[in-house]
Amino acid sequence: MSLLDYFKTTKPNSAKVAKERLQILVAHERNVRNQPSYLPALQQELLKVIQKYIKVDQDAISVNFDSDDEQETLELNIVLPEHTNN
Amino acid sequence: MARIIVVTSGKGGVGKTTTSAAIAMGLAKKGHKTAVIDFDVGLRNLDLVLGCERRVVYDFVNVINNEANLNQALIKDKRCNQLYILPASQTRDKDALTKEGVGKVLEELSKTFKYIVCDSPAGIERGANLAMYFADDAFVVTNPEVSSVRDSDRMLGILSSKSKRAELGEDPIKEYLLLSRYDPKRVKLGAMLSVEDVQDILSLHLLGVIPESQSVLSASNAGEPIILDETSDAGQAYADIVDRYLGEDKPHRFIDEEKKGLFGRLFRS
């Protein structure tokens, strides 16, 4: 380590990293907390139906529940596999 | 009617018991008759922090089980005649606390006390749930550190959904942030979450910042609530917190690094 390093202020700001990680995590956990309890079961059943027709992985489907004062939204997202020539 | 305050955090070791002892003593010193209850069944420590561990005869569970009455179990503080302590039981039976039992004790205390401070155990199990169930106000003790902030947010979710007020559809529990073990120097270096950071994440009303302080350990070593050490920064921080809770408008302190002059730097211990 050179003497110059003492004058550099390039130290990573770990507090900033902590804040960013927490903001993402807390937002996610709050969202999960407000979800109706039937959501995981719904997700599983939807997945089964879709898999009857399309070959998708377990993690290709996401079900999101959002609510505000006005309305509740159920968002279903399916990532289709890349088209392959069978 | 008493006001019931729960001191909670989710995570352990953030300063719940220190805070409970300090604010209960602070409220009592202001002339309000205050009871402080240890909900940590099996791991009682509030008695030790308040220096009355050798005066425990009956405990919270004895009262719930009708093996003793409240007056027999309440320990009157020797320093302040407005403060009473209800110690936790050292039983290993985790189910010793019941909702009905706790409710009955709180109701009886409410007849004669102005404030009831419930010192919650860590975690989200029965003791913690019962400590917050009947609360009117929640003091959420948080350290500027990722796991503590996350657990505090989890506790906030529980406070807003599992409390008596939530179940009955009454006004929600008033939630306050107490940020403890704060080190302005490290915040300035970008090595610790700042007050603003924690508030951005939790969106809570800040009741006070308690600086990291050597005097907290010395106080608990001696069994003296830290608020009685009026020369210590942490003691003063708790005194401010009590004043703010009681409605006084006090500017926040201990958020920025104290500027030390040349002499301060030379004689820094």
Side-chain angles (χ1 to χ4, degrees):
Chain A
M1 194 159 91
S2 77
L3 189 65
L4 250 173
D5 286 342
Y6 283 107
F7 300 102
K8 281 189 189 163
T9 49
T10 49
K11 232 187 196 175
N13 188 327
S14 68
K16 206 176 147 206
V17 178
K19 185 182 181 182
E20 284 165 4
R21 291 174 62 211
L22 274 169
Q23 277 177 321
I24 295 166
L25 180 71
V26 165
H28 174 74
E29 287 185 338
R30 282 185 190 162
N31 200 22
V32 171
R33 212 148 65 202
N34 297 327
Q35 283 178 352
S37 53
Y38 60 74
L39 217 58
L42 177 71
Q43 179 161 351
Q44 285 307 312
E45 283 182 42
L46 282 171
L47 183 69
K48 267 185 214 155
V49 174
I50 290 158
Q51 277 173 335
K52 261 167 76 178
Y53 303 95
I54 313 165
K55 209 176 161 209
V56 291
D57 289 335
Q58 173 94 23
D59 51 1
I61 177 171
S62 69
V63 180
N64 284 312
F65 180 87
D66 265 312
S67 67
D68 54 41
D69 298 337
E70 295 279 305
Q71 56 185 356
E72 296 180 330
T73 324
L74 188 64
E75 179 192 287
L76 177 63
N77 219 321
I78 307 155
V79 182
L80 294 176
E82 275 182 50
H83 189 74
T84 48
N85 296 320
N86 295 324
Chain B
M1 236 354 231
R3 193 90 189 153
I4 301 173
I5 303 167
V6 60
V7 178
T8 185
S9 70
K11 191 177 180 298
V14 297
K16 280 182 298 296
T17 301
T18 301
T19 299
S20 300
I23 59 157
M25 178 60 88
L27 289 166
K29 272 183 63 190
K30 290 264 168 185
H32 304 294
K33 197 173 177 196
T34 304
V36 56
I37 308 176
D38 191 346
F39 274 77
D40 205 345
V41 170
L43 293 166
R44 86 164 159 236
N45 276 317
L46 182 69
D47 54 335
L48 207 49
V49 173
L50 279 162
C52 62
E53 69 276 8
R54 295 178 63 178
R55 295 168 61 207
V56 176
V57 182
Y58 295 108
D59 58 53
F60 195 10
V61 172
N62 289 139
V63 178
I64 287 175
N65 293 342
N66 293 318
E67 291 151 5
N69 64 43
L70 252 180
N71 289 331
Q72 289 174 300
L74 283 171
I75 303 169
K76 188 176 183 174
D77 189 85
K78 284 193 168 157
R79 295 150 297 207
C80 180
N81 62 10
Q82 297 286 70
L83 178 65
Y84 291 79
I85 299 119
L86 185 55
S89 140
Q90 283 292 48
T91 170
R92 273 177 289 171
D93 180 11
K94 283 203 150 198
D95 299 333
L97 293 182
T98 59
K99 194 180 276 183
E100 296 69 35
V102 172
K104 203 183 69 185
V105 171
L106 290 176
E107 200 182 10
E108 201 177 332
L109 285 170
S110 288
K111 288 177 194 158
T112 47
F113 285 87
K114 182 82 188 292
Y115 291 101
I116 302 169
V117 178
C118 302
D119 181 21
S120 173
I124 49 172
E125 286 179 52
R126 185 191 283 260
N129 280 321
L130 286 174
M132 67 89 204
Y133 185 76
F134 297 95
D136 301 305
D137 301 311
F139 286 11
V140 181
V141 184
T142 307
N143 291 171
E145 178 265 325
V146 284
S147 45
S148 174
V149 175
R150 180 202 209 168
D151 289 358
S152 291
D153 189 67
R154 185 115 168 73
M155 248 0 269
L156 292 174
I158 294 171
L159 287 168
S160 63
S161 62
K162 304 254 160 72
S163 65
K164 185 180 170 194
R165 281 173 172 269
E167 282 178 8
L168 296 179
E170 295 174 2
D171 290 340
I173 294 176
K174 277 204 186 111
E175 300 155 343
Y176 299 94
L177 174 65
L178 278 74
L179 195 58
S180 63
R181 308 199 75 160
Y182 196 73
D183 186 346
K185 208 185 285 170
R186 295 176 78 186
V187 171
K188 207 175 160 193
L189 290 170
M192 182 181 266
L193 289 165
S194 69
V195 185
E196 294 81 28
D197 291 339
V198 178
Q199 275 185 288
D200 278 353
I201 297 160
L202 296 178
S203 340
L204 276 182
H205 178 77
L206 179 71
L207 203 54
V209 172
I210 304 111
E212 172 81 68
S213 170
Q214 306 271 346
S215 43
V216 173
L217 182 61
S218 317
S220 76
N221 283 344
E224 293 272 319
I226 182 68
I227 201 165
L228 294 177
D229 183 357
E230 287 165 14
T231 60
S232 75
D233 44 4
Q236 292 169 14
Y238 278 116
D240 283 3
I241 284 168
V242 170
D243 289 343
R244 283 190 204 106
Y245 175 70
L246 293 174
E248 258 184 73
D249 185 21
K250 285 214 158 179
H252 284 284
R253 294 196 275 169
F254 314 110
I255 291 176
D256 295 313
E257 200 180 346
E258 194 184 325
K259 292 211 173 50
K260 281 198 173 116
L262 180 64
F263 281 102
R265 254 176 263 176
L266 281 175
F267 298 109
R268 186 164 52 190
S269 54

